[in-house]
Amino acid sequence: MKVTIERAELLKSLSHVHRVVERRNTIPILANVLVRAEKSALSLKATDLDLEVIESIAAEVAPAGSTTVPAHMFYEIVRKLPEGSQVVLESSSDRAVLAVRAGRSCFTLQTLPESDFPDLAAGDMTHKFTLAGADLRRLIDKTQFAISTEETRYYLNGIYLHVAGAGKEQSLRAVATDGHRLAQTDLPVPAGAAGMPGVIVPRKTVTEVQRLIEDSQAEVSIELSSAKIRFTIGNVVLTSKLIDGTFPDYQRVIPSGNDKELVVDKKDFEAAVDRVSTVSSERGRAVKLSLTGGKLTLSVTNPDSGSATEEIEVEYDSDPIDIGFNSRYLLDIAAQLDGEVAVLRLADPGSPTLIEDKDAKGSLYVLMPMRV
Amino acid sequence: MPVRQLSETLVNRIAAGEVVERPASVVKELVENALDAGAHRIEIATDGGGRRLIRVADDGSGMSSADLDLAVERHATSKLDGDDLLQISTLGFRGEALPSIGSVARLTITTRQAGQASGDHAWAITVDAGAKSEIKPAALSEGTRVEVKDLFYATPARLKFLKSDRSEAEAVREVVRRLAMSRPDVAFTLVSDERAPVTWPAALPGAPGRLARLADILGSDFRANSVEVGAERDGVVVEGYAGLPTHNRANSLGQYLFVNGRPVRDKLLIGVIRGAYADYLPRDRHPVVALFVTLPPREVDVNVHPAKTEVRFRDNTLVRSLLMHALKDGLARDAQRAASTGGSATIAAFRPAALPRRDNFDWRRSLSRPLPPRGALAAWSTAEPGFAEAAQSVFDVGSAAATARVEMAEPASDLLDRPLGAARAQVHDTYIVSQTRDGLVIVDQHAAHERLVYERMKAGLDQNGIARQILLIPDIVELDPADIERLLSRSEELKRFGLAIEPFGPGAIAVRETPSMLGEIDAAALARDLAEHLAEWDEALPLERRLMHVAATMACYGSVRAGRRLKPEEMNALLREMETTPNSGQCNHGRPTYVELKLTDIERLFGRR
């Protein structure tokens, strides 16, 4: 195998692919990236057995061939090569090593046989649809922060992607929750998605997809079955297993009868929460919201250091209420609100609160209060 | 095979299986008999770990010849008055020990009843593997002497299960130690072929005698490193001594509980001790504790186990809370003290620096060590070598001067009168050296400050309660109905720690709120953990431990690290705060935060004393 390729091209692809590779592995080949050269294209493939990324780039190939080399080391080498250089990859005749040459630098990397490289057998994909990059980014951005990190509730360790509602009201919906708060965002159902199974996309996959679409406006093609999902973004194909579990019936926890409506300027609210929470201790930072008339008083008391209060003018005409929230959760949600005005629908200090944008529909957040 | 009535001898041998398990249990039965007979002096001799010979001689009341004849019969005893098993004030009462021993060994009892005319003499009887001899006249000045030879020769199978002579002798020793602790007013002598004879002379009855006896048995360290504890409620009296947290061990063998003078092993005690020391000691270190519970005989059932090592209390909760109360109170009262063994071990690590060094001959070991220990210095031989080494490296004289900073000004004399004295220097940017009226104190600044921050945080939590995050989706935990019952009965207490639970149909509970300090947690695992712990120890320690662990971790980050230079004012402020903060004598891991060197110890190092 011999490949000649632009350094920048190779580096970009490697940076996508090597992130999938775990730093510590019990199976040696999982630390490697599969390098395959055929028909004037070089394809790179990495996997952690749950997630697989393949990216192909144009290159001069003569002759074709394939091998595997340590992913992180390969990436580091290419990263440190001088800008604008041409990289030559050449495997030795016995294919025991791969030589990486650029300018006057030469590296030889130990290889492992490509026949051992695991393949994430994709199986048949039952549904296929495309989403604009910006739409997919929205689905992920708005919900990702609420994904649970508690391993025992594995079925919450991802974003639940499904078609919700019936008839004309149908939408493609992403939901995530960690048991303390919930985030939900809707998109119109794209062609081909109708009837798709509800799937839980694991956190690592979500993060990788998010990075891949960061700077691309291209359409993303999504294929899925009840066990796997595949994202095709330009020349990158990311295939992932899904979380095998049942997402809880989240609709039950979204309150519908919260009649106390608080309308507040989002920026003011966010800044005020941030300000008063400065005095709270590192963990379990509770901020108390006291509402009377058209006035919201935010307060935090830390017996070790002091207290803080701030008043904001708001639209509120229901009965007075005192309610406590984890300030970090409030800030997380506020950061996701797009509009200038936020609406908080409250019931009582022991029941979930609904938070939405006043104008932009499509996303909603549920937050459970704290007892303080 | 037809059903038949078993012979008397066989019945006794079967009973012997329960009562007489090993030589130590024979010793226990015989010594208890001696104590019940009102002895003031008991001598125990064993040979071959008790396998060849056990002899227990006392100066008690003795028996008449008629009593002697009956004593070796099954279910014959002088200790039960009437038919009331609830009024037991003696150690024994079952009337099983002597016939059981007689059925598996060669038993000889020689006794002389006290208060008889001088013309009367002693009597002896022999039981050989269940065969009883005639009563013969014998010679003995007072009391009773029981000899058991060739134990288990009649039951070879049991003989095979005995451990080595050495470990059997050790078990005998342990039994005698326990009994001796319970009765400081009785003199004990233990003679065996394994060790030098030990004598514990009779001490005064009551607390001073008890402490003297405990010090005799547990080592003089215990006297210096324990606090007296006591509590009383509803006729139940708890007395005893609790070791300081810094005086800890790797196992729980140093924990003794006596109920009405009877040594018992009870899970209750272990649970209570765990709870009381949870804040001072890591899970794998155990304090040394001796507690004596006195309560009306009616309130306790001792007839639970043939060997009577277990008891049941009528009001378990009362005894439990009383023990807990006594321990916590005692510890809180004296919580600032750290073990003095640290200081003594440090002295052992000091070596005269100017002596020449010769590499291939390790004479320093014998010459420069302090003389064999006496009094306060006795600890060096028993102190953990690990600590001595660590201390030694701290005092490695070669480099000390380079990083030590000395506060030259004469300290205010009022500071010298404080328990932790006036800060004089910081060495290695880690240890504060301070001067007191009668010695010097070395403080580990990180350990000390960590504890201060932790105590402050804990006080804050106690005062303000723990904020609870309500769960959006309650966690449903399936549990055993008994576990559910236990958890729900403590739900108020759990709520105080930030965990709100409620019943959820049969066989499950719903966790509604969790401590927000813990962030996102596995509530199901926590509930299960709690249920198990409640079942075993009757307390909600796992949750408390988790919260305190978070607090401790935060305390660790929020405290002054080793390597940080402190100004004299800062050092003095730290010392003053340590003096006023409870439990500042040890860090969160049970290590001392400071050690004290008395002037006398320093003088001893230079041969001035």
Side-chain angles (χ1 to χ4, degrees):
Chain A
M1 177 179 90
K2 187 173 178 190
V3 184
T4 310
I5 188 169
E6 197 73 33
R7 170 201 172 256
E9 286 283 299
L10 181 60
L11 180 63
K12 188 166 156 243
S13 295
L14 271 175
S15 71
H16 292 151
V17 169
H18 93 282
R19 278 198 306 252
V20 175
V21 178
E22 295 285 347
R23 290 273 164 190
R24 288 170 196 82
N25 277 300
T26 50
I27 308 172
I29 192 121
L30 291 184
N32 279 14
V33 55
L34 177 68
V35 181
R36 176 175 286 142
E38 51 191 14
K39 287 190 240 156
S40 68
L42 174 72
S43 87
L44 301 165
K45 173 174 166 183
T47 181
D48 67 355
L49 294 180
D50 284 332
L51 176 60
E52 177 188 276
V53 177
I54 304 173
E55 179 156 1
S56 33
I57 34 178
E60 254 175 63
V61 177
S66 59
T67 187
T68 77
V69 287
H72 294 298
M73 194 179 289
F74 189 24
Y75 169 71
E76 286 299 315
I77 289 170
V78 175
R79 193 172 66 82
K80 290 173 185 170
L81 288 176
E83 256 177 70
S85 53
Q86 291 278 320
V87 184
V88 178
L89 309 174
E90 187 167 12
S91 60
S92 58
S93 51
D94 60 354
R95 308 212 292 177
V97 292
L98 178 76
V100 180
R101 285 195 298 272
R104 293 183 173 193
S105 316
C106 180
F107 305 83
T108 51
L109 293 173
Q110 301 271 340
T111 66
L112 288 170
E114 73 278 5
S115 53
D116 292 352
F117 201 82
D119 190 29
L120 200 65
D124 286 337
M125 294 298 189
T126 53
H127 292 76
K128 183 172 178 177
F129 54 90
T130 54
L131 281 179
D135 284 346
L136 180 59
R137 191 152 59 226
R138 199 171 97 89
L139 277 186
I140 293 177
D141 287 351
K142 301 276 169 216
T143 51
Q144 190 201 27
F145 70 93
I147 298 178
S148 168
T149 51
E150 172 59 47
E151 300 280 327
T152 49
R153 286 186 295 178
Y154 61 94
Y155 50 84
L156 296 182
N157 294 164
I159 292 180
Y160 181 49
L161 194 63
H162 63 298
V163 174
K168 285 220 163 79
E169 299 284 291
Q170 275 201 340
S171 56
L172 178 68
R173 178 176 290 174
V175 182
T177 179
D178 63 2
H180 297 172
R181 59 231 166 114
L182 177 143
Q184 166 189 324
T185 187
D186 286 357
L187 281 182
V189 182
M196 69 172 251
V199 296
I200 308 172
V201 186
R203 185 177 40 234
K204 187 174 175 186
T205 307
V206 169
T207 317
E208 288 308 318
V209 171
Q210 194 180 29
R211 279 185 181 149
L212 289 173
I213 57 177
E214 221 160 22
D215 39 30
S216 111
Q217 292 302 321
E219 293 236 309
V220 178
S221 148
I222 299 172
E223 293 165 82
L224 58 84
S225 66
S226 57
K228 301 240 166 54
I229 190 164
R230 173 177 294 154
F231 297 87
T232 309
I233 307 154
N235 50 2
V236 186
V237 180
L238 183 147
T239 311
S240 166
K241 287 185 187 165
L242 295 165
I243 292 177
D244 185 12
T246 311
F247 200 80
D249 182 7
Y250 66 92
Q251 261 148 345
R252 278 193 328 180
V253 304
I254 299 179
S256 52
N258 286 6
D259 52 354
K260 298 188 173 63
E261 192 178 278
L262 161 66
V263 181
V264 61
D265 183 275
K266 189 206 109 176
K267 275 214 183 70
D268 289 353
F269 181 67
E270 189 175 3
V273 171
D274 195 21
R275 265 193 295 273
V276 292
S277 62
T278 317
V279 299
S280 70
S281 53
E282 204 51 39
R283 295 236 193 185
R285 18 184 157 181
V287 54
K288 193 168 89 178
L289 278 58
S290 309
L291 280 159
T292 32
K295 198 176 70 185
L296 165 65
T297 310
L298 298 154
S299 58
V300 172
T301 309
N302 182 348
D304 292 340
S305 51
S307 62
T309 55
E310 179 156 347
E311 281 177 18
I312 316 181
E313 295 294 319
V314 294
E315 284 174 40
Y316 182 79
D317 49 16
S318 308
D319 298 336
I321 183 174
D322 280 357
I323 188 167
F325 291 107
N326 185 324
S327 59
R328 188 163 52 87
Y329 292 170
L330 277 180
L331 291 175
D332 280 350
I333 290 173
Q336 296 310 326
L337 296 174
D338 299 317
E340 288 182 1
V341 182
V343 181
L344 282 80
R345 287 180 222 283
L346 311 147
D348 61 73
S351 305
T353 295
L354 195 71
I355 305 176
E356 283 178 290
D357 267 318
K358 189 163 192 293
D359 310 314
K361 295 288 171 198
S363 300
L364 66 85
Y365 305 93
V366 181
L367 178 57
M368 212 57 189
M370 265 174 92
R371 288 205 201 280
V372 286
Chain B
M1 210 159 69
V3 175
R4 66 187 175 95
Q5 185 73 44
L6 298 181
S7 74
E8 180 85 350
T9 314
L10 204 51
V11 169
N12 279 340
R13 276 186 198 158
I14 290 170
E18 290 173 341
V19 182
V20 186
E21 209 182 353
R22 55 195 296 193
S25 34
V26 175
V27 171
K28 173 177 171 296
E29 296 296 337
L30 297 181
V31 174
E32 284 184 355
N33 280 349
L35 290 173
D36 283 344
H40 299 295
R41 214 176 56 237
I42 301 174
E43 192 184 311
I44 303 109
T46 62
D47 188 21
R51 196 187 308 232
R52 279 193 294 281
L53 171 76
I54 296 168
R55 187 173 57 225
V56 176
D58 66 55
D59 60 351
S61 59
M63 286 178 279
S64 68
S65 62
D67 280 357
L68 180 58
D69 190 32
L70 202 55
V72 295
E73 292 295 336
R74 194 165 161 73
H75 303 311
T77 183
S78 60
K79 300 178 186 178
L80 272 184
D81 206 9
D83 286 333
D84 194 354
L85 263 182
L86 293 175
Q87 273 295 5
I88 294 165
S89 51
T90 50
L91 293 171
F93 58 87
R94 294 168 69 106
E96 275 180 332
L98 289 178
S100 297
I101 296 167
S103 68
V104 294
R106 296 182 226 277
L107 170 71
T108 310
I109 307 175
T110 314
T111 183
R112 178 171 179 167
Q113 194 165 22
Q116 291 292 318
S118 57
D120 196 26
H121 53 75
W123 298 95
I125 193 169
T126 306
V127 185
D128 190 340
K132 202 166 86 172
S133 77
E134 287 299 305
I135 293 189
K136 289 179 221 142
L140 189 71
S141 60
E142 56 171 354
T144 307
R145 190 176 67 213
V146 185
E147 274 188 1
V148 180
K149 287 182 180 161
D150 302 327
L151 185 67
F152 296 133
Y153 90 97
T155 49
R158 181 57 69 113
L159 197 56
K160 278 191 198 139
F161 279 100
L162 290 185
K163 300 203 178 101
S164 69
D165 285 4
R166 196 181 180 78
S167 50
E168 292 298 342
E170 214 31 61
V172 168
R173 213 178 126 75
E174 186 58 30
V175 161
V176 176
R177 275 157 60 97
R178 277 174 188 271
L179 286 163
M181 269 187 238
S182 74
R183 289 294 296 273
D185 55 320
V186 178
F188 286 83
T189 305
L190 176 62
V191 183
S192 71
D193 56 342
E194 295 285 337
R195 288 209 193 196
V198 205
T199 301
W200 294 305
L204 298 167
R210 181 174 281 159
L211 184 57
R213 174 61 59 87
L214 287 176
D216 277 350
I217 294 174
L218 295 173
S220 52
D221 270 5
F222 185 72
R223 187 201 287 265
N225 292 305
S226 61
V227 293
E228 190 175 354
V229 298
E232 182 177 358
R233 202 189 303 155
D234 299 345
V236 182
V237 183
V238 174
E239 299 162 295
Y241 293 88
L244 293 176
T246 39
H247 181 66
N248 55 38
R249 292 190 182 182
N251 58 39
S252 61
L253 291 181
Q255 299 172 353
Y256 299 91
L257 177 66
F258 302 88
V259 176
N260 287 346
R262 184 189 305 278
V264 297
R265 291 172 187 278
D266 201 301
K267 278 214 303 205
L268 176 86
L269 178 72
I270 304 174
V272 168
I273 291 177
R274 251 173 196 270
Y277 282 85
D279 223 14
Y280 312 116
L281 280 180
R283 209 186 267 262
D284 55 347
R285 301 300 299 178
H286 304 267
V288 181
V289 171
L291 292 175
F292 300 83
V293 179
T294 318
L295 70 178
R298 289 196 164 275
E299 295 294 319
V300 60
D301 183 4
V302 291
N303 193 16
V304 180
H305 185 267
K308 304 180 208 91
T309 52
E310 288 170 27
V311 293
R312 271 192 206 128
F313 297 105
R314 177 175 289 187
D315 190 350
N316 218 6
T317 329
L318 172 70
V319 177
R320 223 191 93 80
S321 65
L322 210 56
L323 286 172
M324 182 70 98
H325 173 74
L327 281 177
K328 281 199 162 166
D329 258 18
L331 288 174
R333 184 158 30 88
D334 243 336
Q336 216 208 65
R337 277 169 66 197
S340 65
T341 45
S344 312
T346 313
I347 293 193
F350 271 114
R351 283 167 190 179
L355 289 172
R357 180 189 286 258
R358 269 196 284 165
D359 281 326
N360 49 3
F361 180 51
D362 190 18
W363 51 269
R364 287 177 309 147
R365 185 164 290 279
S366 52
L367 276 185
S368 66
R369 281 236 164 197
L371 289 172
R374 234 181 296 144
L377 271 176
W380 75 269
S381 56
T382 52
E384 288 176 45
F387 188 84
E389 274 162 33
Q392 182 187 334
S393 60
V394 167
F395 291 107
D396 192 12
V397 185
S399 60
T403 51
R405 293 177 313 120
V406 182
E407 168 67 354
M408 290 305 288
E410 188 60 30
S413 71
D414 59 321
L415 288 183
L416 288 175
D417 292 326
R418 298 299 194 81
L420 293 180
R424 298 303 300 266
Q426 185 189 22
V427 291
H428 293 279
D429 290 345
T430 303
Y431 301 94
I432 299 168
V433 178
S434 80
Q435 181 183 349
T436 59
R437 280 272 173 236
D438 59 350
L440 66 90
V441 172
I442 303 168
V443 178
D444 178 339
Q445 65 186 44
H446 174 62
H449 194 239
E450 182 177 343
R451 188 71 195 187
L452 295 179
V453 174
Y454 175 70
E455 287 294 332
R456 213 181 303 152
M457 247 184 232
K458 231 176 52 170
L461 286 179
D462 277 355
Q463 201 186 332
N464 307 298
I466 290 165
R468 310 194 295 273
Q469 169 70 48
I470 311 173
L471 296 185
L472 193 55
I473 309 163
D475 248 340
I476 310 300
V477 189
E478 285 179 18
L479 285 170
D480 204 54
D483 284 342
I484 291 175
E485 190 56 41
R486 271 191 285 270
L487 279 175
L488 291 176
S489 69
R490 304 294 278 266
S491 61
E492 274 310 306
E493 185 188 341
L494 293 179
K495 196 173 253 179
R496 219 162 36 80
F497 286 124
L499 190 75
I501 53 171
E502 52 190 57
F504 192 82
I509 57 163
V511 178
R512 297 239 168 236
E513 297 165 18
T514 58
S516 80
M517 221 171 117
L518 297 183
E520 203 191 329
I521 56 166
D522 182 359
L526 177 61
R528 265 185 218 112
D529 220 25
L530 277 171
E532 276 164 27
H533 206 86
L534 279 174
E536 201 170 355
W537 311 111
D538 200 27
E539 66 199 357
L541 210 50
L543 181 55
E544 211 181 330
R545 255 189 205 282
R546 267 164 108 141
L547 292 169
M548 291 311 149
H549 178 75
V550 173
T553 314
M554 286 159 70
C556 187
Y557 287 121
S559 54
V560 167
R561 290 305 174 89
R564 153 95 186 272
R565 290 200 164 195
L566 296 178
K567 295 181 186 66
E569 295 79 11
E570 291 178 298
M571 292 191 258
N572 272 321
L574 186 68
L575 296 179
R576 296 296 83 80
E577 199 177 343
M578 284 174 72
E579 283 161 2
T580 50
T581 305
N583 313 324
S584 62
Q586 64 275 316
C587 77
N588 299 338
H589 317 286
R591 294 192 295 268
T593 52
Y594 69 89
V595 293
E596 191 171 3
L597 283 176
K598 293 281 175 210
L599 200 53
T600 49
D601 292 339
I602 299 172
E603 285 170 344
R604 214 184 295 257
L605 281 174
F606 292 97
R608 282 169 169 261
R609 284 193 176 224

